[in-house]
Amino acid sequence: MNLKPLELGRSVQGKPLNAFYFEGRRFSGRPLVLLGGVHGDEIEGVWLMEELLSTWSSTPPSLEMDVLIWPRVNPDGVEAGARWNARNVDLNRNLPTKDWTPEMKNPRYPPGPHAASEPENKALVSLIERHQPRAILSAHSFSKYQVNSNGPAREWAEALARVSGYPVTEDIGYPTPGALGTYAGKEKLIPTITLEIERGLDRERVLELHVPVVEAAIAYWENKEMN
């Protein structure tokens, strides 16, 4: 299995936006994209993606399909322990969706001056356009843990719910203009899951519970291809 490091761009503070492309043995192109660290204070998703990257780099898995891991979409925020990027923009309210608005209805969710204004989201949009993912899983954390499904992802979400024990939702409970679920899932019809890991779990517990969830996410699409 080939591993290709990718530098997708630079963050506001100039940190490299590093992703890693693992080539599968049978089904090339259109990778499953795994994201962590969109919100820098939701460290659970970063732990999960960096554990997968570390394990796979030393002991390559037997992947049938391509998988792209981007562990720190918002490296400035991760380093600062902050939800936003270094320009105080919520990256998950800044994508170029049809419902994007510059109005900041809640100070927790600043959308930025215009859609896709931030270098991190420019890189994400470019990644989606270039690689045409078959599916996207973005790991966040939330007190209301859930497998949030957008686009044609309900069956996939239910498969992950059986592993995680989390409920499946299609509405997180409040408006999310400029969010990835809308941009990729609802508008581009890419099966998209926001995995809201239970916030506050320690690292060991996150990995114990959710490495199998990601493995199930991969197995679901590999089985789809083979059947």
Side-chain angles (χ1 to χ4, degrees), residues 42-173:
E42 297 177 16
I43 195 63
E44 295 87 347
V46 178
W47 290 339
L48 177 59
M49 297 307 166
E50 291 190 339
E51 175 67 17
L52 290 167
L53 178 61
S54 175
T55 301
W56 290 5
S57 297
S58 60
T59 308
S62 180
L63 294 172
E64 302 294 336
M65 61 182 284
D66 294 358
V67 177
L68 188 154
I69 302 180
W70 186 0
R72 298 187 177 210
V73 176
N74 177 10
D76 300 340
V78 172
E79 185 174 280
R83 177 182 177 88
W84 309 329
N85 76 348
R87 283 204 285 248
N88 295 328
V89 173
D90 186 332
L91 296 180
N92 208 34
R93 300 294 182 274
N94 179 249
L95 285 162
T97 57
K98 294 174 183 176
D99 66 354
W100 184 85
T101 172
E103 180 183 358
M104 185 167 62
K105 298 180 179 180
N106 184 321
R108 180 172 167 77
Y109 310 124
H114 58 83
S117 60
E118 305 310 296
E120 299 88 352
N121 274 346
K122 286 183 171 68
L124 180 54
V125 168
S126 178
L127 181 157
I128 291 171
E129 291 176 349
R130 177 181 177 184
H131 291 286
Q132 297 292 305
R134 71 183 64 227
I136 299 172
L137 186 151
S138 184
H140 289 247
S141 67
F142 192 25
S143 58
K144 297 178 181 178
Y145 52 85
Q146 60 193 274
V147 181
N148 182 249
S149 167
N150 284 280
R154 181 77 192 198
E155 182 182 84
W156 183 33
E158 289 173 350
L160 302 193
R162 288 192 289 272
V163 178
S164 66
Y166 286 5
V168 175
T169 64
E170 294 184 354
D171 185 342
I172 206 161

Side-chain angles (χ1 to χ4, degrees), residues 14 16 32 34 63 74 82 93 117 181 183 191 193-194 199 213 217 223:
L32 170 62
L34 304 175
L63 294 172
N74 177 10
R93 300 294 182 274
S117 60
Y183 177 70
I193 283 176
T194 304
R199 187 169 297 171
V213 174
N223 289 336

Side-chain angles (χ1 to χ4, degrees), residues 48 52 160 163-164 206-217:
L48 177 59
L52 290 167
L160 302 193
V163 178
S164 66
V206 167
L207 301 181
E208 178 187 358
L209 291 173
H210 292 287
V211 167
V213 174
V214 177
E215 290 172 347

Side-chain angles (χ1 to χ4, degrees), residues 23-42:
E23 292 185 332
R25 297 183 304 178
R26 295 178 63 182
F27 309 115
S28 61
R30 301 200 62 217
L32 170 62
V33 171
L34 304 175
L35 306 175
V38 171
H39 294 141
D41 61 348
E42 297 177 16

